[in-house]
Amino acid sequence: MITKGERTSARLVESMLELIQARGYSGTGLNTVVEHSGAPKGSLYFHFPEGKEALGERAVELAADQFRTLFAETVGDAASPGELLRRVVDVLIGLLADSDFQLGCPVSVVALEMGAHSERLRTACAAAFESWIGPVTDYLVGRGHPRPTARTLATTVVSGLEGAMIVSRAQRDVEALRSAAQVFGDLLDQPPAGIAKENS
């Protein structure tokens, strides 16, 4: 059973995540987080005595969990890697469109703003990206790719989608994401090298 304190802590983290997406890490003050969350005054330092960095770290971890959940839920009935990717991109496009291009990836936001200033937050962002690259790698290995190739593809796709999100947000147009889905989808749908050689 979830306790009242756990619910309050979760609300603070969720608010921090939403505000980072909309305003950036530097533009998000702790008073704003408390106000946005509706949590009791004084609760933030009770649950996060180490302050903003600790809350930001938890927000990055929540973002990583959300994407992993999206990936896991989409894998099940996707007919091909390309279809899986296109479904994930459709969700990202919906996020941008529904927010009028105000919400981006909070992990990339924190990495860009704080990666050179906070080792704690840089490490959290690195772990978040790895938590996405790892499952994609495992998925591609399951589709017949050698692990080194799968790792390279997974890293390229995750990095490419992050860049496409930033470009789409800046241009207020989802063309960059749609282009990434098409190019990476076609790439992922090519048969693994070993299978291609066997069929040649």
Side-chain angles (χ1 to χ4, degrees), residues 76-148:
D77 58 350
S80 69
E83 181 184 347
L84 168 61
L85 178 66
R86 285 184 281 273
R87 289 185 183 184
V88 170
V89 169
D90 283 344
V91 173
L92 299 179
I93 287 173
L95 171 70
L96 285 177
D98 291 346
S99 69
D100 193 28
F101 295 91
Q102 296 304 304
L103 300 183
C105 173
V107 180
S108 62
V109 168
V110 174
L112 289 170
E113 287 189 27
M114 300 302 298
H117 307 291
S118 168
E119 181 61 18
R120 181 173 189 167
L121 291 174
R122 185 204 64 76
T123 300
C125 291
F129 288 131
E130 180 58 36
S131 77
W132 302 341
I133 293 170
V136 177
T137 299
D138 292 340
Y139 169 75
L140 293 173
V141 169
R143 304 286 300 198
H145 289 277
R147 183 162 290 276

Side-chain angles (χ1 to χ4, degrees), residues 11 14-16 18-19 31-39:
R11 287 207 312 273
E14 289 163 4
S15 289
M16 183 67 172
E18 291 177 20
L19 290 167
N31 289 336
T32 305
V33 175
V34 173
E35 181 180 348
H36 183 274
S37 69

Side-chain angles (χ1 to χ4, degrees), residues 70 74 78-94 157 161 177-189:
L70 167 63
T74 309
S80 69
E83 181 184 347
L84 168 61
L85 178 66
R86 285 184 281 273
R87 289 185 183 184
V88 170
V89 169
D90 283 344
V91 173
L92 299 179
I93 287 173
V157 169
L161 291 183
L177 272 169
R178 293 200 186 282
S179 297
Q182 179 179 340
V183 172
F184 290 139
D186 290 346
L187 175 64
L188 294 179
D189 279 342

